[in-house]
Amino acid sequence: MAKTTHRRLAALALSATLAGLPVSGLAEDLKLGLMAPATTLDPHFTNAGQNLALSAHFFDTLVTTDADGKFIPGLAESWKIIDDTTWEFRLREAQFSDGTPLTAEDVKWSINRPATIKSSTASLTIYTKAIAKMEIVDDRTLRVITEKPYPLLLPDLSNIAILSKKAADGLLTEDFRTGKGVVGTGPYELVSYDPENRVVMKANDDFWGGKPDWDNVELRFLPNDSARLSALLSGNVDAIENVPSTALASLRSNAAFSVEEKTSYRFVFLFLDSGRETTPGAMANDGSALDSNPLADVRVRQAINLAINRDAIAARLMEGLAHPTTNIVLKSMDGYVDALQPTYDPERAKELLAEAGYPEGFRLNFHATNNRLMNDAKVSQAVAQMLTRVGIRTTLDSVPFSVITTRYSQGEISSAMMSWPVPTSEASFPFRALIACADKERGWGLVNWGHYCNPELDAMMAEALTVMEPAKRADALEAAVAVIGAEMPIVPLYFQVSTWAARDGINIAARADERTSARIFSTSE
Amino acid sequence: MLSFLVRRLFGGSLVIFVTVTLVFFSVFVLANPVDVLMSNTTDPAEREAAIARLGLDRPVFEQYFHFLWNAAHGDFGNSFVYGKPAVEVIAERLPATLELGLLAIAASVIIGVPLGFVAGMKPQSPFSKAIMTGSIFGFSVPYFWAGLMLISVFAVQLNWLPSGGRGPTTSFVGLNWSLTSLEGLSYLVMPALTLALYKISLIVRVTETSARTVNRQDYVRTAHARGVPPARVAVVHVFKNAILPVITVLGIEFGTIIAYSVSVETVFSYPGMGKLLIDSVINSDRPVIIAYVCMTSFIFVTANFLVDLIYAVLDPRVRQSISGT
């Protein structure tokens, strides 16, 4: 009843507009329901996905990624590698929303800016520290010189927003609150910012990429799953990210909405404490201490790998929103090994345990988050049951993320379920953080909760990272990942699948990088 | 009167001081903020620098005295998450919660007091019995369920009201308010109603009990015997006396609404302060947690203090005992 009235009113308004005004195209507005509010408008403050997703409306980066995570031109229309340490970027002709043209000086200044922000707890300097210096060749040409050969410069630069030096010079992060300094080359201009509530923006008609798809965009932050879903169902917003998995089936069968999904670059895996002589969470079946750490035996780690039925988890617990894997990258990325395919073989797992000297299994404490990943509480329960079925009597400790990190720093973690993204689209990124020997100097193995250390493997990766030629580097990475598959320092489970839903008439360009912005939505007319 | 004020002021400050001290030491049992906040890939050197900058490398007691000194100067430190003063982070969310709380309290007074009073005056009438039965229902329905039902009926099915979040705001005295427009108000209706459902029932029950008790007092019977018109007895003799406990409850409930409307805020994804507290605990954002607790204990103490003052105004006996001491 109410709906029909609304429609009639809308039709009336529509015909009135068409009759009375010169047809200049109706205003197309997009209201977007997002999960996490950005903490600030300053794009250089913190390395958090939701902040970088918001800044993509106002700002561009030199290099950007396509839907699959391939690096494509952003503000740099082209680049070439002059020698192993020198990259030359050619800027496109673009102008900031205040009308001033983009120059190499703005780019140089923006790349230097993260290092000047001292109050950040997750500084973006991890993306700029490889750069030794920058040289301005002319107004539209910039040379970036790295200290050592550094093939990951493009992924790094895809995170650094380019600001107008004129508008933002001298501003602190606090100053951005009022919208000061938010002068970029991106498709939208800021209209108003109400933290935690909504961000309103309008099209930047001078955008270098042509007229943006939407005249006005409003982002609304709706962290609660059911609140976000009902906002879409009731028409309060036109599109949402992270559709609750329980609602997927009904939305898919509803013609008034469209749903898109894409395998994301985030994979879920198990840490196994293989590096310590003894591990606090592994005990004999009677609860007494074991002489040695069972997880140090590669056969035990392989047994755990074979004991987990990833397809069942993907189909039953994740409603298809999981892509089972034993790789640490997606197929489209560098370092993917085709031969590593998930296998479920509990009988073989039992044999391996027996060969390793645990015919009766052992007891294991297993930690998992309950507020961090999609369905993490349910999946970790299933994993614990599957391990118990092959003889590893697993006790699950399901805790908030903050608790799990604290337990780790106190040395209490023997096994844990965590996730990691692959924003560089190549295998060295997860390897360096999760598997490499802990080495503070080099910044490797900083999140190596399994205490795994294999110097030969480290050397293979380090070698791969000096190869500037892409195809050769991919081969070197594959060789290293094959070793990981045999050694199982971590046990990859699946890549998460991201979802979006919109009302009918809106196209969704689903992305692998979990970043939702108005840029991925367009009208289908 | 003055000595009463001074004593209450001193007592109130002591309560705030003790609460804040307890909270300060208990947040150290929580997760280490650096573990939670630092991007895992952060350079170890930078990590050390950040720890030093946040003052987290110093002994607990030193941090405590440092905190007290700054707090005495009105500085609760910068939020680890938002990178700006904790007080500012809270102030940004204060209007959202105040609007919600005030609407809910207003609804519970406007609806709850008359209903409860009627039920207390005429406990035997079927209407009163219906009110009391209804209040049990309002009492027992959990917030999240009531909220979800309202959303599914009024937002998803009927499309009358927005399903959640906060309406567009306008800036006034440096803070963002949404009560200023009809659209803003429409976002508040359902969350306020959900919150009020329990409060109304509570106020109904308190008013009813209180009115019924007062109604049996000798002075009420005397008034009736003296031939005072029943309406006058009801208002002057019963209502004025019956309302006192209601005011006490309201004072406490107001504090509760400001500080702990978390479940309603969660169901409606309403960006209020309760949600801020939960998020801050999850992120180990210590300055915000401490400033928050400091502020809520201040609100509770103030609300109680105001209740005492109102008591003094309404009840001559209280007034006398205050000036007598």
Side-chain angles (χ1 to χ4, degrees), chain B residues 115-137:
Chain B
L115 288 182
F117 189 65
V118 169
M121 294 299 283
K122 301 231 182 295
Q124 296 310 321
S125 89
F127 179 62
S128 303
K129 288 195 169 142
I131 293 174
M132 296 317 288
T133 315
S135 78
I136 294 175
F137 177 73

Side-chain angles (χ1 to χ4, degrees), chain B residues 24-25 28 32 34 48-67 69-70 77 80 286:
Chain B
F24 187 89
F25 286 101
F28 277 84
N32 182 352
V34 180
E48 301 296 314
I51 290 173
R53 197 174 55 240
L54 299 174
L56 296 171
D57 53 343
R58 284 176 287 176
V60 178
F61 279 96
E62 199 186 321
Q63 288 188 44
Y64 175 64
F65 288 116
H66 185 72
F67 157 77
W69 176 255
N70 285 336
F80 299 158
R286 288 178 187 168

